[in-house]
């Protein structure tokens, strides 16, 4: 196969080797007029403490429990957990009502992680030591939940902003730990394993080396981590945060790398906020090796940021119609998105 490293100018498809899916790129459509939905701007000027907030220190939650007067991060079992630890064990399945009606029991645990007692601060406003504390809490939770005998995978994630369905502006994320590999993770699992068998190296180590060489999709980097707009990004300002060293999970990070991850998260979210001058909505999450006790050293830990906004604080990208029925499509090129994010200053500049 001949390799040409310059990005195509016309309409083209790009391949995502992590999920083995394609995205259609139509760069010429960026100038089309927009008369569709404009999002409501999120409420500004939040109080430090909100007596109505179920995440603020000292307040009562819907389940009746009262939060302690916490000062750093605070983790609790979700009062409305989607997964429960005491469902029937999966090894009693699979069960089928027929060849086409298949179901499977699933056990798990859902937790909520408050990043800070301050109701009004997001990741971008937290200090590096505070974000480092979030990284440490994630690491501890990954270890604790991953050690449960029925947990094969721990998904750490955050929905930020009303637009992404967050129920509350108080800075928080969630953790869902469950018994089977979720579909998105299973795709990446298979792709990383098969790439290793064929190429005898790590898919994301090889990908990162190429991106660092080309530079055009890199947004920021520090000693340990890089944030870039992936070549196959679907969301307009989607980013991928990659460790420079091959580490399967948070548990493999050195102290300095945990600081490095906190630094990249601070700088990336600061740039996002400056892009359209608002607290930038997104869904983000970490992908790490499964915790089923198997040997998964092939896994290269990473974080995905999926923000919905396209051209301003109020105009979002909809993944509807063609995307739902055929394949994802984007107008803004990943290279242009990376350039916009690179141009934004962060507090390290
Ligand atoms: P989101 O903002 O991403 O929806 O996360 C908030 C979570 O907090 C949500 O999963 C839980 C909801 O179930 N929650 C509680 O556990 N206790 C409460 O008192 C309200 C909300
Ligand atoms: Zn609050």
């Amino acid at each position: 196969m001949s390799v040409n490293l310059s990005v195509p100018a016309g309409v083209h498809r790009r391949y995502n080797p992590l999920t083995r899916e394609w995205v259609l790129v139509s760069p010429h459509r960026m100038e089309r007029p927009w008369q569709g939905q404009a999002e409501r701007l999120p409420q500004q000027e939040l109080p430090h403490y909100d007596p109505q907030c179920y995440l603020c220190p000292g307040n009562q939650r819907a389940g009746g429990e009262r939060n302690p007067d916490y000062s750093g991060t605070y983790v609790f079992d979700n009062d409305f957990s989607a997964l429960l630890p005491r469902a029937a064990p999966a090894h009693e399945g699979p069960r089928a009502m027929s060849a086409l009606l298949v179901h499977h029991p699933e056990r798990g645990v859902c937790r909520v992680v408050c990043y800070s007692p301050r109701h009004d601060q997001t990741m971008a406003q937290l200090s590096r030591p505070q974000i480092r504390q979030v990284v440490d809490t994630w690491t501890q939770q990954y270890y604790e939940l991953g050690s449960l005998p029925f947990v094969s995978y721990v998904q750490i994630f955050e929905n930020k902003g009303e637009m992404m369905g967050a129920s509350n502006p108080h800075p928080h994320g969630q953790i869902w730990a469950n018994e089977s590999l979720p579909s998105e993770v299973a795709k990446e699992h298979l792709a990383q394993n098969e790439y290793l068998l064929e190429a005898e190296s790590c898919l994301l180590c090889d990908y990162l080396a190429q991106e660092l060489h080309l530079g055009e999709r890199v947004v920021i980097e520090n000693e340990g981590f890089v944030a870039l707009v992936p070549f196959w990004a679907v969301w307009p300002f989607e980013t991928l945060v990659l460790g420079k060293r091959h580490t399967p999970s948070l548990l493999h990070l050195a102290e300095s790398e945990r600081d490095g991850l906190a630094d990249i998260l601070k700088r990336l979210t600061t740039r996002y906020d400056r892009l359209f001058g608002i607290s930038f909505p997104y869904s983000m999450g970490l992908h790490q090796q499964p915790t089923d006790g198997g040997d998964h050293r092939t896994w290269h830990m990473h974080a995905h940021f999926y923000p919905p906004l396209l051209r301003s604080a109020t105009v979002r990208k909809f993944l509807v119609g063609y995307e739902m029925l055929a394949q994802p499509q984007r107008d803004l090129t990943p290279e242009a998105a990376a350039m916009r994010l690179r141009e934004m200053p962060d507090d390290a500049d």
Side-chain angles (χ1 to χ4, degrees):
M1 181 176 60
S2 76
V3 174
N4 177 352
L5 290 175
S6 56
V7 167
V11 178
H12 59 279
R13 289 190 303 151
R14 294 191 186 191
Y15 180 63
N16 179 344
L18 257 186
T19 57
R20 299 169 165 191
E21 290 164 349
W22 293 84
V23 52
L24 183 65
V25 185
S26 317
H28 62 285
R29 291 211 329 157
M30 259 320 269
E31 300 313 319
R32 90 201 139 102
W34 177 265
Q35 292 182 326
Q37 175 177 337
E39 299 291 333
R40 217 161 35 90
L41 281 176
Q43 176 198 347
Q44 303 289 333
E45 291 300 316
L46 296 168
H48 289 199
Y49 165 78
D50 177 352
Q52 302 304 321
C53 169
Y54 54 80
L55 299 179
C56 274
N59 291 358
Q60 198 169 23
R61 298 203 307 272
E65 227 175 294
R66 193 169 285 284
N67 298 324
D69 196 15
Y70 66 95
S71 57
T73 57
Y74 170 55
V75 183
F76 63 89
D77 281 338
N78 197 313
D79 298 308
F80 306 97
S81 293
L83 292 152
L84 301 167
R86 271 185 274 284
H91 57 73
E92 288 179 10
R95 299 174 193 164
M97 286 154 61
S98 76
L100 296 177
L101 302 177
V102 181
H103 59 95
H104 209 281
E106 188 72 30
R107 290 180 292 178
V109 177
C110 297
R111 289 186 174 162
V112 178
V113 183
C114 299
Y115 297 168
S116 151
R118 280 276 296 267
H119 184 77
D120 59 332
Q121 291 194 323
T122 66
M123 184 89 85
Q125 283 115 32
L126 297 181
S127 66
R128 280 173 179 71
Q130 284 176 305
I131 303 176
R132 165 65 202 257
Q133 208 187 354
V134 174
V135 170
D136 289 346
T137 303
W138 286 341
T139 309
Q140 171 63 27
Q141 289 295 319
Y142 174 79
Y143 176 71
E144 202 178 291
L145 293 170
S147 302
L148 293 173
F150 58 87
V151 168
S152 298
Y153 182 74
V154 179
Q155 182 59 58
I156 294 169
F157 67 100
E158 174 185 354
N159 295 319
K160 177 173 172 250
E162 278 175 36
M163 213 182 283
M164 290 313 285
S167 55
N168 185 329
H170 195 113
H172 69 284
Q174 297 193 47
I175 306 178
W176 293 23
N178 68 307
E179 200 163 10
S180 63
L181 269 196
S183 325
E184 287 304 310
V185 184
K187 284 186 243 171
E188 295 192 1
H189 185 65
L190 196 68
Q192 290 182 97
N193 282 343
E194 290 190 0
Y195 184 91
L196 183 88
L197 282 178
E198 281 161 29
E200 293 184 355
S201 54
C202 161
L203 191 161
L204 286 175
C205 284
D206 287 1
Y207 173 63
L208 181 60
Q210 289 190 34
E211 289 292 22
L212 286 175
H213 174 70
L214 293 167
E216 61 188 332
R217 281 171 296 273
V218 173
V219 177
I220 39 170
E221 63 175 301
N222 62 25
E223 228 173 89
F225 283 86
V226 180
L228 53 85
V229 179
F231 180 75
W232 53 80
V234 167
W235 294 96
F237 292 96
E238 176 177 335
T239 53
L240 180 64
V241 174
L242 286 169
K244 287 184 176 170
R245 198 164 66 84
H246 181 88
T247 48
S249 81
L250 288 167
L251 292 169
H252 297 78
L253 295 185
E255 284 284 313
S256 62
E257 288 170 322
R258 290 194 195 189
D259 286 337
L261 179 56
D263 173 71
I264 283 286
L265 292 172
K266 164 99 182 156
R267 291 169 57 200
L268 181 61
T269 51
T270 299
R271 281 166 190 256
Y272 272 147
D273 284 359
R274 289 185 175 162
L275 189 63
F276 297 137
I278 52 147
S279 189
F280 209 66
Y282 56 72
S283 275
M284 70 80 72
L286 297 169
H287 277 158
Q288 308 182 72
Q289 73 169 350
T291 56
D292 58 0
D295 180 0
H296 301 300
R297 277 172 294 179
T298 51
W299 259 87
H300 191 129
M301 180 195 96
H302 55 274
H304 296 279
F305 276 80
Y306 299 132
L309 289 177
L310 171 61
R311 58 174 79 202
S312 71
T314 53
V315 177
R316 62 167 292 165
K317 166 80 180 169
F318 286 97
L319 289 182
V320 291
Y322 189 78
E323 283 87 357
M324 282 178 153
L325 290 152
Q327 65 186 336
Q329 181 272 341
R330 64 179 292 135
D331 303 338
L332 177 74
T333 63
E335 295 69 41
M339 192 162 64
R340 295 276 303 278
L341 287 170
R342 248 194 329 268
E343 281 166 358
M344 294 297 125
D346 64 43
D347 68 341
D349 292 320

